[in-house]
Amino acid sequence: MSHAREMLDASPGPEDLGVVEIAAAIDACADCAQTCTSCADACLAEDDVAAMRDCIRLDLDCADICGATQRVLSRHARFDAALISRLLLACVHACAGCAKECARHADHHDHCRICAEVCRSCERACRALLDEEALKELQALAGG
Amino acid sequence: MSHAREMLDASPGPEDLGVVEIAAAIDACADCAQTCTSCADACLAEDDVAAMRDCIRLDLDCADICGATQRVLSRHARFDAALISRLLLACVHACAGCAKECARHADHHDHCRICAEVCRSCERACRALLDEEALKELQALAGG
Amino acid sequence: MSHAREMLDASPGPEDLGVVEIAAAIDACADCAQTCTSCADACLAEDDVAAMRDCIRLDLDCADICGATQRVLSRHARFDAALISRLLLACVHACAGCAKECARHADHHDHCRICAEVCRSCERACRALLDEEALKELQALAGG
Amino acid sequence: MSHAREMLDASPGPEDLGVVEIAAAIDACADCAQTCTSCADACLAEDDVAAMRDCIRLDLDCADICGATQRVLSRHARFDAALISRLLLACVHACAGCAKECARHADHHDHCRICAEVCRSCERACRALLDEEALKELQALAGG
């Protein structure tokens, strides 16, 4: 059991909010923020840095958004569902975009292969917190 | 002219993206992140701290989201409109919620009065970057 | 093996820098930043919030410093030993202070008990990166 | 008067701590964090990106450390001088290193010229908070 889960169990606050899923999303966001920061630095050190610019930027954006999402999710005693949904929609988008770009470099840069996997995991963990309502909006948004 | 604006003018990148509005939103987010961090600390020092819990949490969430928004907006050379819109929707919501709660304490805590004003300014600056399309989604979301 | 360690192994960069210790410090800082954010929120929800003010502030400072330390350590391809030492000294101090205060509340707040342990682990992981060399250099700096 | 200064004036807390200097350092750190984030992105978009790697990394480290310093300084109601000193020493080092590297590119990249100036200003504002006392204490620590 991760400390995120232990801390949620030890905290005052609503009990019916899916502690397992929230802890999983917190852990996934923390992991993704770190991995993306590391991947941006590794990309910058590669010989083909000019070809890695988009990847670096997507890594940096993803790290910042996952970091903020992790912190907001960690404040679980007062849960603003509307705020969380908006933030998760941004986070899912950032993870999906970063995973897609990293996957393009996965065969020649091992750090991109790992980062693509971590981003996909984070995308899944965040999607699991978004209810039907929010996903419909996401679909409408994506179709627009 | 703020450094945010000077830096956008000095950066390679698309020129038709409303540099004035982006710089204004960057400055407003930076200002709001700092003010909310400061307001949370001041609330925590007040005699009526138990009545200020919601305000403190909203301050902390708003600071984190404004901080991430500011950083993503500052990466302007490659602009992902869909990501920015999602993040701005979260930021507008965080600022509006924090402004509303701070306003409730404005007459007895001067830091809350200032913070409410700064949050409203940031909300406006972020809304100015959201096009009609995004605002309609926001409206649908708020009505749901 | 954590992703931090996998990413360091997969990254271009100096190989003689103690990858195991760096990865351990990155993981410990990420864990500590999240746990402290969560502990601050749990403290804020407790009935005796007025007695928890110092704990909340120490949690928030520790979360911010661990977060920055984790990000700087993750940029391992170019390693500025003097910068890392200074940052680690701040991080060790923040973790030790937060652990001490949390320990005072450990018997009545389980989140503080967990947080104290996590802070102590992070303090140890950061100290392990601070060698004699760094401490001597720091002394020279302070005398200069 | 900046909001940082207004907020310090409006906050409960010790009054003899040099509010003018603290507010100046908060503003300088916020400005520097934003400018460095922007400079890293602009460097990444330049044709000579391979020559800008060090600059990008120094920008990213400086942005993270200035960001954390700004947040810790903003929690002024409870002021841990030893923590602040350690953090300021890291911040001064990061700003000086980033300014030096940016200055090397100032004549061909306008964003680096601006960033070098902003980093120097932040270095000065942080140094102004580091008194003799703090440096002596640090020396004692390093010798202990």
Side-chain angles (χ1 to χ4, degrees):
Chain A
M1 185 161 62
S2 78
H3 287 124
R5 172 66 196 283
E6 277 189 70
M7 290 298 286
L8 290 179
D9 287 341
S11 300
E15 305 207 354
D16 57 343
L17 274 170
V19 165
V20 176
E21 288 77 14
I22 295 171
I26 291 172
D27 287 335
C29 283
D31 197 10
C32 195
Q34 194 281 320
T35 304
C36 285
T37 301
S38 192
C39 189
D41 190 62
C43 288
L44 202 57
E46 297 291 355
D47 289 338
D48 62 341
V49 58
M52 304 306 292
R53 294 170 211 239
D54 276 354
C55 198
I56 294 171
R57 282 190 191 110
L58 289 160
D59 276 332
L60 295 175
D61 280 354
C62 194
D64 285 336
I65 294 173
C66 284
T69 303
Q70 174 209 346
R71 290 166 74 112
V72 172
L73 286 175
S74 296
R75 290 190 200 103
H76 131 283
R78 178 199 154 283
F79 220 69
D80 178 345
L83 179 62
I84 300 281
S85 295
R86 282 160 181 75
L87 197 51
L88 287 171
L89 285 173
C91 198
V92 162
H93 187 87
C95 291
C98 193
K100 194 175 168 187
E101 180 64 21
C102 275
R104 291 184 51 227
H105 307 284
D107 57 348
H108 52 287
H109 294 320
D110 216 33
H111 49 83
C112 285
R113 182 187 56 74
I114 299 166
C115 194
E117 287 168 18
V118 173
C119 286
R120 288 282 178 221
S121 293
C122 189
E123 187 194 345
R124 276 193 300 273
C126 288
R127 270 189 197 281
L129 288 187
L130 281 167
D131 59 17
E132 292 297 312
E133 202 69 24
L135 285 174
K136 258 185 278 175
E137 282 156 35
L138 187 71
Q139 216 163 12
L141 195 86
Chain B
M1 187 160 61
S2 77
H3 287 123
R5 173 65 197 283
E6 278 189 69
M7 290 298 287
L8 290 179
D9 286 341
S11 300
E15 305 207 354
D16 57 343
L17 273 171
V19 165
V20 176
E21 288 77 13
I22 295 171
I26 292 172
D27 287 335
C29 283
D31 196 11
C32 195
Q34 194 281 318
T35 304
C36 285
T37 301
S38 192
C39 189
D41 190 62
C43 288
L44 202 56
E46 296 291 354
D47 289 337
D48 62 341
V49 57
M52 304 306 295
R53 294 169 210 238
D54 277 354
C55 197
I56 294 171
R57 281 187 191 113
L58 289 161
D59 275 333
L60 294 175
D61 281 353
C62 194
D64 285 336
I65 294 173
C66 285
T69 303
Q70 175 209 344
R71 290 166 74 113
V72 173
L73 285 175
S74 296
R75 292 189 198 104
H76 132 283
R78 179 198 152 282
F79 219 70
D80 178 344
L83 178 62
I84 300 279
S85 294
R86 281 159 181 75
L87 196 52
L88 287 171
L89 284 172
C91 198
V92 161
H93 187 86
C95 291
C98 193
K100 194 175 168 187
E101 179 64 21
C102 275
R104 291 184 52 226
H105 307 284
D107 58 347
H108 52 288
H109 294 321
D110 217 33
H111 49 83
C112 285
R113 183 189 55 74
I114 299 166
C115 193
E117 287 168 18
V118 173
C119 287
R120 288 284 177 219
S121 293
C122 189
E123 187 195 344
R124 275 192 301 272
C126 289
R127 271 189 196 281
L129 288 186
L130 282 167
D131 58 17
E132 292 297 311
E133 202 70 23
L135 286 174
K136 259 185 279 175
E137 283 156 32
L138 186 72
Q139 214 163 14
L141 196 85
Chain C
M1 188 160 59
S2 77
H3 287 124
R5 172 67 196 282
E6 277 189 71
M7 289 299 286
L8 290 180
D9 287 341
S11 299
E15 304 205 355
D16 58 344
L17 273 170
V19 165
V20 176
E21 289 78 14
I22 296 171
I26 291 172
D27 287 335
C29 283
D31 196 9
C32 195
Q34 194 280 319
T35 304
C36 284
T37 301
S38 191
C39 189
D41 190 62
C43 288
L44 202 57
E46 296 290 355
D47 289 338
D48 62 341
V49 58
M52 305 307 293
R53 295 170 211 237
D54 276 354
C55 198
I56 294 171
R57 281 188 191 113
L58 288 160
D59 277 333
L60 295 175
D61 281 353
C62 195
D64 285 336
I65 294 174
C66 285
T69 304
Q70 174 209 346
R71 289 167 73 115
V72 173
L73 286 175
S74 297
R75 290 189 200 104
H76 132 284
R78 177 199 155 283
F79 218 69
D80 178 345
L83 179 62
I84 300 279
S85 296
R86 282 158 181 76
L87 196 52
L88 287 171
L89 282 172
C91 198
V92 161
H93 187 87
C95 290
C98 193
K100 194 175 167 187
E101 180 65 20
C102 275
R104 291 183 52 227
H105 307 285
D107 58 347
H108 52 287
H109 294 320
D110 215 34
H111 49 83
C112 285
R113 183 187 57 72
I114 300 166
C115 193
E117 288 168 17
V118 173
C119 286
R120 287 283 177 220
S121 294
C122 189
E123 187 194 344
R124 276 193 301 273
C126 289
R127 270 190 197 282
L129 288 186
L130 274 171
D131 58 15
E132 292 296 311
E133 204 67 26
L135 287 173
K136 259 186 279 174
E137 194 190 316
L138 190 73
Q139 201 168 22
L141 177 94
Chain D
M1 187 161 61
S2 77
H3 287 123
R5 173 67 196 282
E6 277 188 70
M7 289 299 285
L8 290 179
D9 287 342
S11 300
E15 304 206 354
D16 57 343
L17 274 171
V19 165
V20 176
E21 289 77 14
I22 296 171
I26 291 172
D27 287 334
C29 284
D31 196 10
C32 196
Q34 194 281 318
T35 303
C36 284
T37 301
S38 191
C39 189
D41 190 61
C43 288
L44 202 57
E46 296 291 355
D47 290 337
D48 63 341
V49 58
M52 304 307 293
R53 294 170 211 239
D54 276 354
C55 198
I56 294 171
R57 281 187 191 113
L58 289 161
D59 276 332
L60 294 175
D61 281 354
C62 195
D64 285 336
I65 295 174
C66 284
T69 303
Q70 174 209 346
R71 289 166 74 114
V72 173
L73 285 175
S74 296
R75 289 188 200 105
H76 132 284
R78 179 199 154 284
F79 218 71
D80 178 344
L83 179 62
I84 300 278
S85 295
R86 282 160 182 73
L87 196 52
L88 286 171
L89 282 172
C91 198
V92 161
H93 187 87
C95 290
C98 193
K100 195 175 166 187
E101 179 66 20
C102 275
R104 291 183 52 227
H105 307 285
D107 58 347
H108 52 288
H109 293 320
D110 216 34
H111 49 82
C112 285
R113 182 188 57 73
I114 300 167
C115 193
E117 286 168 18
V118 173
C119 286
R120 288 284 177 219
S121 293
C122 189
E123 187 194 345
R124 276 193 301 273
C126 288
R127 271 190 197 281
L129 287 186
L130 276 170
D131 58 15
E132 293 296 311
E133 204 66 26
L135 287 173
K136 260 185 279 176
E137 195 189 317
L138 191 71
Q139 199 168 22
L141 176 95

